[in-house]
C-alpha cells in the first residue's frame, strides 16, 4: 500500500484565488506509473471550496497497486504483468491468485489455491429455494444480484472481515461460488435441472459443465473452447476503478460485508454503458443485419440528434485500441474456427464495421476504438450462451477483481468511508406553504396517467 507521506513529492501545485488574492499549495503525490495526483484532502479546510468532477473524469478516488492502465498507449497490466502475456500464458485461477496476493503463485501455492477454491464450489442447498422464488423469465443478472447478496445470510462465518481468516474465506467463497451461481441462474431461466459442480474439472470446464450439461447425455467439450472461456475470464478479471469496482469500494467503505458489496458491484455492472454493452453489441449487429447497412448505422452514430451509439466502441480510459479487444478478436477467430462457424454473418458485420469506423474522421477525432465488448459477444453467442447471460459471464470474471480491490481497501490503514460532497443548486430556505395556499391544479399530470 502506498504510504502517502513517503510518497509525497517535494514539489507542489499552486492554486491562486482571484477572489481573495490568496494562493494555496497543493502537495503532489507521485505514483509508480501514470499521472501524478494533486492531494486535495485539505482543500476544503483551507479554502472552503470543494472540487467538482461529475463522472470522476479527473479524480483518483484511491491508491491501488493492483492494475495499471495507460489509456493513450492501450496498456493494461495486472501487478505489473501485461494482459496479453497473462491471457496467452496463464490460466484464470493463476490470475485470481495474482490479483488477490500480488504475485504469481509458486507451484505449491497454485495447487493449494486450486484446492481451496474447489472446496467452496457448492452452494448451501437452501439457496435452491431462493432461486425457485424467481419468475422463470427473470433476467439472470437480476437473479445474480439477489443470490450474491443473499450469501451473507448463509455464510455468517465469513462476514466478520476484521478477522483475516474470515476475510480470506469470503474471498475464496466468492471466487468459487460465482460460476455455480451464474450457471444456476441460466439453468433456472431455461427450465433445466440445476447441475452440481464437479471438482475433478478445472474451474472453467466446471462452469461450462454446470451450464451446458444435462443429466441425459454425456458432457463433452473441446479443450480449445475451455481455453477460450478461461481467456474470456482473464480478460475481464480487473480494470482498476471502473463504475462497478468503485461501487464495490464505496459500499465496502461503510463496513458492509463482502457479499453485499459484490452484489452492489453486479448491479452496477448490469448497465449498458458498462458490462451490459456486450449484450447491446449483439443486438446492434443483428439490427444492422447486413454489411450493406453499415454506413446507415455509422451515420446514425455520428448524428448528434440521434441517441444511437456504436456499442462496443469508445471507452472512458482507452483513447487507443483496448488491449483486451485485440486478444478477444484473436479468440473470436479461434472459437469460430473450432466450431466451424467462420462464416458467421455477425462476425462479418463486426469486422467490416470496425474497418469502416476506424477509417472514419468522426471516430478518429474522438478516439473511439473497439473495446473489450465488441468481439466478446460474438464468442459467447457462438458458444451457445443467450445474450441475457453475457453480462453474467462478465460478472463471473470480474468477481476476483472486485474482491481483490475490496480487500486492498479494507487492509489500507487510511481507509475512510466514501462520502462525496456536492454543488448544491436547489432552493434556498423558504417558508412552509399550507395546503390552502398551494397551486390548486395537479402539476404532475403526466405522473398520474
Ligand atoms: N458511438 C458514437 N459516439 C460516441 C461513442 C459511441 N460508441 N462513444 C462516445 N461517443 C462520442 C460522444 O457522443 C461524445 O461526443 P461529443 O464530445 O460530441 O459530445 C464523445 O464521443 C465522448 O463521449 P462520452 O460519452 O462523453 O465519453 P465517456 O468517456 O463518458 O463514455 C462510454 C465512455 C460510456 C464507454 C461511451 O464511449 C459509450 O457509450 N460507448 C458505447 C457503450 C460501450 O461500448 N460500453 C462498454 C464500455 S467498456 C466496459 O464497460 C467493459
Amino acid at each position: 500500500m502506498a504510504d502517502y507521506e513517503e510518497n509525497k513529492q517535494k514539489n507542489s501545485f499552486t492554486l491562486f484565488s482571484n477572489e481573495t488574492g490568496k494562493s494555496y499549495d497543493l502537495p503532489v503525490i507521485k505514483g509508480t506509473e501514470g499521472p501524478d495526483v494533486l492531494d486535495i484532502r485539505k482543500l476544503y479546510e483551507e479554502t472552503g471550496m470543494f472540487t467538482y468532477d461529475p463522472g470522476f473524469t479527473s479524480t483518483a478516488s484511491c491508491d491501488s497497486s493492483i492494475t495499471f492502465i495507460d489509456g493513450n498507449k492501450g496498456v493494461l497490466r495486472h501487478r505489473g504483468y501485461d494482459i496479453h502475456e497473462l491471457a496467452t500464458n496463464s490460466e484464470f485461477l493463476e490470475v485470481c491468485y495474482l490479483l488477490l496476493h500480488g504475485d504469481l503463485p509458486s507451484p505449491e501455492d497454485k495447487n493449494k489455491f486450486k484446492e481451496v477454491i474447489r472446496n467452496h464450489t457448492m452452494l448451501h442447498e437452501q439457496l435452491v429455494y431462493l432461486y425457485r422464488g424467481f419468475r422463470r423469465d427473470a433476467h439472470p443478472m437480476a437473479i445474480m444480484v439477489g443470490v450474491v447478496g443473499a450469501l451473507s445470510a448463509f455464510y455468517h462465518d465469513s462476514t466478520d472481515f476484521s478477522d483475516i481468516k474470515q476475510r480470506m474465506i469470503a474471498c475464496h467463497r466468492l471466487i468459487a461460488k460465482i460460476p455455480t451461481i451464474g450457471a444456476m441462474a441460466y439453468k433456472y431461466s431455461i427450465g433445466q435441472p440445476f447441475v452440481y459442480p464437479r471438482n475433478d474439472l478445472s474451474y472453467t470446464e466446471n462452469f461450462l459443465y454446470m451450464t451446458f450439461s444435462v443429466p441425459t447425455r454425456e458432457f463433452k467439450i473441446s479443450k480449445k473452447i475451455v481455453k477460450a472461456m478461461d481467456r474470456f475470464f482473464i480478460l475481464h478479471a480487473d480494470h482498476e476503478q471502473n463504475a462497478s469496482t468503485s461501487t464495490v469500494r464505496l459500499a465496502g467503505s461503510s463496513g458492509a460485508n463482502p457479499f453485499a458489496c459484490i452484489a452492489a458491484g453486479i448491479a452496477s455492472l448490469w448497465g449498458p454503458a458498462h458490462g451490459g454493452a456486450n449484450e447491446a453489441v449483439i443486438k446492434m449487429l443483428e439490427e444492422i443485419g447486413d454489411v450493406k447497412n453499415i454506413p446507415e448505422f455509422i451515420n446514425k452514430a455520428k448524428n448528434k440528434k440521434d441517441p444511437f451509439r456504436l456499442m462496443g466502441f469508445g471507452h472512458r480510459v482507452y483513447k487507443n485500441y483496448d488491449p483486451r479487444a485485440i486478444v478477444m478478436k484473436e479468440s473470436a477467430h479461434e472459437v469460430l474456427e473450432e466450431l466451424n462457424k467462420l462464416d458467421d454473418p455477425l462476425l462479418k458485420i463486426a469486422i467490416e464495421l470496425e474497418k469502416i469506423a476506424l477509417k472514419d474522421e468522426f471516430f478518429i477525432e474522438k478516439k473511439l476504438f473497439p473495446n473489450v465488448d465488441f468481439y466478446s459477444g460474438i464468442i459467447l453467442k457462438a458458444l451457445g450462451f443467450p445474450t441475457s447471460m453475457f453480462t453474467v459471464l462478465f460478472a463471473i470474471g470480474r468477481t476476483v477483481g472486485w474482491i481483490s480491490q475490496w480487500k486492498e481497501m479494507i487492509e489500507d490503514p487510511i481507509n475512510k468511508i466514501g462520502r462525496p460532497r456536492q454543488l448544491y443548486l436547489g432552493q434556498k430556505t423558504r417558508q412552509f406553504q399550507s395546503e390552502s395556499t398551494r397551486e390548486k391544479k395537479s402539476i404532475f399530470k403526466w405522473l398520474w396517467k
Side-chain angles (χ1 to χ4, degrees), residues 128-394:
V128 171
Y129 298 102
L130 182 64
Y131 277 88
R132 297 204 191 288
F134 286 99
R135 281 169 59 135
R136 288 275 177 191
D137 61 357
H139 196 290
M141 280 297 276
I143 300 182
M144 259 200 140
V145 175
V147 174
V148 173
L151 293 180
S152 40
F154 287 86
Y155 299 103
H156 301 140
D157 57 343
S158 53
T159 51
D160 176 8
F161 53 83
S162 61
D163 172 352
I164 174 76
K165 271 212 142 169
Q166 290 203 29
R167 185 152 77 232
M168 285 321 301
I169 294 173
C171 296
H172 295 150
R173 278 189 169 139
L174 277 156
I175 295 168
K177 290 183 197 306
I178 200 80
T180 315
I181 292 169
M184 283 173 73
Y186 173 62
K187 285 297 196 195
Y188 187 75
S189 69
I190 58 168
Q192 285 186 1
F194 294 132
V195 175
Y196 288 97
R198 258 181 57 190
N199 289 350
D200 59 319
L201 301 177
S202 73
Y203 183 90
T204 301
E205 189 170 3
N206 180 41
F207 167 67
L208 292 167
Y209 163 74
M210 289 188 290
T211 305
F212 291 125
S213 73
V214 284
T216 47
R217 267 200 314 267
E218 195 192 344
F219 174 73
K220 275 197 190 131
I221 196 146
S222 93
K223 286 202 170 7
K224 278 197 180 162
I225 298 300
V226 176
K227 180 75 201 148
M229 194 73 237
D230 200 71
R231 190 178 288 157
F232 174 94
F233 289 148
I234 294 176
L235 292 175
H236 288 83
D238 192 48
H239 212 230
E240 55 119 298
Q241 310 312 319
N242 55 80
S244 55
T245 304
S246 299
T247 304
V248 169
R249 279 187 178 256
L250 199 55
S253 75
S254 72
N257 75 69
F259 304 110
C261 297
I262 302 304
I266 295 172
S268 168
L269 184 75
W270 195 355
H274 192 7
N278 51 14
E279 195 175 333
V281 170
I282 292 296
K283 283 187 187 143
M284 177 189 75
L285 295 175
E286 284 172 345
E287 211 187 322
I288 294 174
D290 195 296
V291 170
K292 71 175 189 312
N293 300 328
I294 292 174
E296 178 193 331
F297 282 81
I298 294 268
N299 286 337
K300 266 165 80 67
K302 287 157 56 172
N303 182 354
K304 272 229 164 249
K305 290 188 191 133
D306 193 325
F308 173 78
R309 283 186 171 201
L310 220 50
M311 299 315 288
F313 259 76
H315 198 276
R316 169 62 62 79
V317 180
Y318 294 118
K319 301 303 165 199
N320 201 325
Y321 215 100
D322 178 340
R324 301 167 301 172
I326 297 171
V327 187
M328 206 62 95
K329 189 176 176 181
E330 285 166 20
S331 226
H333 275 96
E334 279 167 28
V335 167
L336 293 175
E337 191 175 28
E338 175 70 8
L339 299 172
N340 273 330
K341 290 183 179 171
L342 266 180
D343 57 351
D344 181 84
L346 294 191
L347 180 69
K348 276 196 186 134
I349 298 172
I351 290 173
E352 197 54 29
L353 181 63
E354 180 192 342
K355 237 191 246 166
I356 296 176
L358 289 180
K359 280 191 211 139
D360 191 291
E361 217 24 68
F362 174 90
F363 291 89
I364 296 170
E365 191 213 317
K366 293 198 184 300
K367 298 187 177 162
L368 299 169
F369 293 85
N371 59 48
V372 67
D373 291 319
F374 192 65
Y375 283 102
S376 68
I378 290 173
I379 300 179
L380 301 178
K381 188 167 182 289
L383 293 181
F385 288 104
T387 47
S388 61
M389 275 294 285
F390 289 6
T391 318
V392 168
L393 298 164
F394 190 152

Side-chain angles (χ1 to χ4, degrees), residues 53-91:
D53 185 17
F56 304 109
T57 53
S58 298
T59 296
S61 60
C62 62
D63 63 296
S64 177
S65 39
I66 300 177
T67 292
F68 173 72
I69 301 176
D70 183 333
N72 292 323
K73 293 191 184 140
V75 166
L76 168 62
R77 290 188 216 121
H78 297 314
R79 306 281 193 187
Y81 294 104
D82 188 80
I83 190 64
H84 196 276
E85 275 199 84
L86 289 173
T88 313
N89 304 317
S90 217
E91 58 180 300

Side-chain angles (χ1 to χ4, degrees), residues 385-413:
F385 288 104
T387 47
S388 61
M389 275 294 285
F390 289 6
T391 318
V392 168
L393 298 164
F394 190 152
I396 294 173
R398 183 55 58 85
T399 294
V400 65
W402 289 329
I403 202 67
S404 304
Q405 298 267 354
W406 169 85
K407 179 174 167 289
E408 181 178 62
M409 178 188 73
I410 295 299
E411 293 171 358
D412 187 341

